[in-house]
Amino acid sequence: MGAMSVRSKSSEPSAQSEAPHRAGFACFVGRPNAGKSTLTNALVGQKVAITADQPQTTRHTVRGIVHRPDAQLILVDTPGLHKPRTLLGERLNDVVRTTWAEVDVIGFCLPANEKLGPGDRFIAKELASIKKTPKIAIVTKTDLVDGKTLAGQLIAIDQLGKELGFEWAEIIPVSAVSGTQVDLLADLIVPLLPEGPALYPDGELTDEPEQVMIAELIREAALEGVRDELPHSIAVVVEEMLPREDRPADKPLLDIHAFVYIERPSQKGIIIGPKGKRLKDVGIKSRKQIEALLGTPVFLDLHVKVAKDWQRDPRQLRKLGF
Ligand SMILES: Nc1nc2c(ncn2[C@@H]2O[C@H](COP(=O)(O)OP(=O)(O)OP(=O)(O)O)[C@@H](O)[C@H]2O)c(=O)[nH]1
Ligand SMILES: [Mg+2]
């Protein structure tokens, strides 16, 4: 499969501004569940990264591309940084730290509705050691708090920078859900990017391979409503994508075969649900999104498989793409 085919509907002509064109990378980091992926999608204007209300949803870096007349901003959404409890957790943290070295701007996401905690301090401390890269503190989910709480959070974040001996390039409150200040965030990041021509073709919104994007949409549907350890145990792999033979040209159908992996046989019942209802719902929900993504009707065949303790097993991790 080639790179993602998601394209923006129109691309504006270049403005006749004097400012030089800029292009570069900004990554979003933060604790799990801080709102990094939701913010990435809001800036790109389309879903390129899946989101869920459980922590540790994102498991690889996802690039979302923002096209503007004056700049191309490539956002790198990263997995939430956390205290690792499994080999998978360690791998995810490594991915995040590697990304820091490769970007022009770091956006540290802190939810407005949660007090700064040890997890945030830990990340901030690590960021402090990256001297050369400008760091923006982004207060996310501002729609969930009142003005007073938000003001307190802004002061606490400013203070945190001072304690650690650096200044934030900016501190900006945003809400990806209401759209508040999302464009302003892009306006603040762009001047921090290097001058240069666009790095991605006009209109390309992500470089996620289609097969990965499809697996992620299935995982997102599978994550809904499951709790405790189960969200972490789910992995999805698209095994095969084939156009159905003998279909008239104007009525194509794409057969997609995918495996939903879990870690223990005891988890199977929950994923499949009574009389297979849950798995069926996951199929229906994700199929709609896949069809919207590909613009073609899809037959989605989902199978549940046990990959014993895959989060801790180097061989299994490799098989699942980590
Ligand atoms: N009310 C509100 N909820 C938000 C906002 N942004 C994100 N959320 C919710 O917060 C939850 C986590 O969002 P994600 O974007 O998946 O968080 P993340 O930081 O990418 O999480 P990981 O990938 O696990 O590190 C989801 O339920 C989102 O709907 C926001 O601006 N307002
Ligand atoms: Mg995420």
Side-chain angles (χ1 to χ4, degrees):
M1 277 296 132
M4 269 298 304
S5 52
V6 178
R7 285 180 171 265
S8 60
K9 292 195 177 60
S10 69
S11 39
E12 292 151 49
S14 301
Q16 315 89 323
S17 61
E18 326 273 282
H21 189 274
R22 294 178 184 274
F25 295 81
C27 74
F28 290 149
V29 299
R31 277 186 290 131
N33 220 34
K36 301 176 290 297
S37 299
T38 309
L39 184 58
T40 303
N41 293 339
L43 280 157
V44 172
Q46 194 156 321
K47 179 147 111 189
V48 294
I50 64 162
T51 64
D53 66 9
Q54 302 104 341
Q56 292 172 52
T57 300
T58 305
R59 289 184 182 154
H60 62 283
T61 56
V62 180
R63 286 180 184 182
I65 303 146
V66 181
H67 301 264
R68 308 180 12 145
D70 58 335
Q72 190 175 71
L73 165 60
I74 299 128
L75 299 168
V76 187
D77 177 25
T78 65
L81 201 64
H82 60 285
K83 200 168 189 178
R85 284 183 297 152
T86 61
L87 188 57
L88 174 68
E90 283 172 34
R91 297 270 166 91
L92 297 187
N93 285 356
D94 289 348
V95 162
V96 179
R97 293 198 178 86
T98 310
T99 307
W100 294 353
E102 295 168 349
V103 296
D104 304 298
V105 181
I106 295 172
F108 180 23
C109 295
L110 302 119
N113 61 330
E114 288 171 39
K115 280 220 152 83
L116 293 194
D120 299 311
R121 282 172 198 285
F122 175 74
I123 298 171
K125 213 180 246 172
E126 290 207 24
L127 291 181
S129 69
I130 307 168
K131 296 273 187 301
K132 68 171 182 23
T133 313
K135 294 167 269 296
I136 296 181
I138 304 165
V139 183
T140 58
K141 310 191 190 183
T142 55
D143 56 291
L144 296 178
V145 300
D146 58 23
K148 200 168 155 228
T149 311
L150 179 57
Q153 188 75 327
L154 295 172
I155 292 167
I157 292 168
D158 181 52
Q159 200 59 42
L160 179 62
K162 292 206 167 77
E163 271 170 37
L164 294 170
F166 70 91
E167 285 276 341
W168 301 104
E170 309 279 352
I171 303 179
I172 173 179
V174 303
S175 166
V177 163
S178 73
T180 310
Q181 305 227 105
V182 168
D183 289 337
L184 176 61
L185 173 60
D187 290 342
L188 295 178
I189 295 175
V190 163
L192 301 171
L193 302 178
E195 290 178 21
L199 300 166
Y200 283 86
D202 196 18
E204 194 166 308
L205 300 184
T206 180
D207 62 358
E208 285 271 281
E210 260 173 12
Q211 212 141 329
V212 172
M213 192 83 162
I214 291 164
E216 287 286 87
L217 290 172
I218 298 168
R219 188 163 65 90
E220 183 177 59
L223 282 175
E224 215 168 276
V226 300
R227 47 196 80 263
D228 303 327
E229 286 306 296
L230 192 50
H232 307 289
S233 293
I234 299 172
V236 178
V237 174
V238 170
E239 283 291 321
E240 200 170 51
M241 294 171 57
L242 284 173
R244 178 83 56 96
E245 284 175 27
D246 307 326
R247 295 285 293 195
D250 58 336
K251 280 207 172 125
L253 184 68
L254 185 67
D255 280 306
I256 300 181
H257 300 277
F259 287 115
V260 178
Y261 288 98
I262 44 171
E263 295 197 285
R264 287 179 287 284
S266 61
Q267 295 172 326
K268 219 166 178 171
I270 308 169
I271 285 291
I272 294 174
K275 295 197 175 125
K277 183 165 184 319
R278 200 173 172 279
L279 188 65
K280 198 173 161 198
D281 289 345
V282 167
I284 292 170
K285 192 154 186 219
S286 52
R287 177 170 53 80
K288 284 193 190 130
Q289 298 220 31
I290 296 164
E291 288 179 337
L293 174 79
L294 303 177
T296 181
V298 161
F299 178 83
L300 180 61
D301 177 39
L302 289 182
H303 285 277
V304 178
K305 256 192 175 180
V306 178
K308 199 168 174 306
D309 290 329
W310 65 263
Q311 288 187 78
R312 296 182 157 80
D313 179 348
R315 275 190 50 223
Q316 302 262 33
L317 280 175
R318 200 160 48 236
K319 252 178 61 188
L320 293 169
F322 294 103

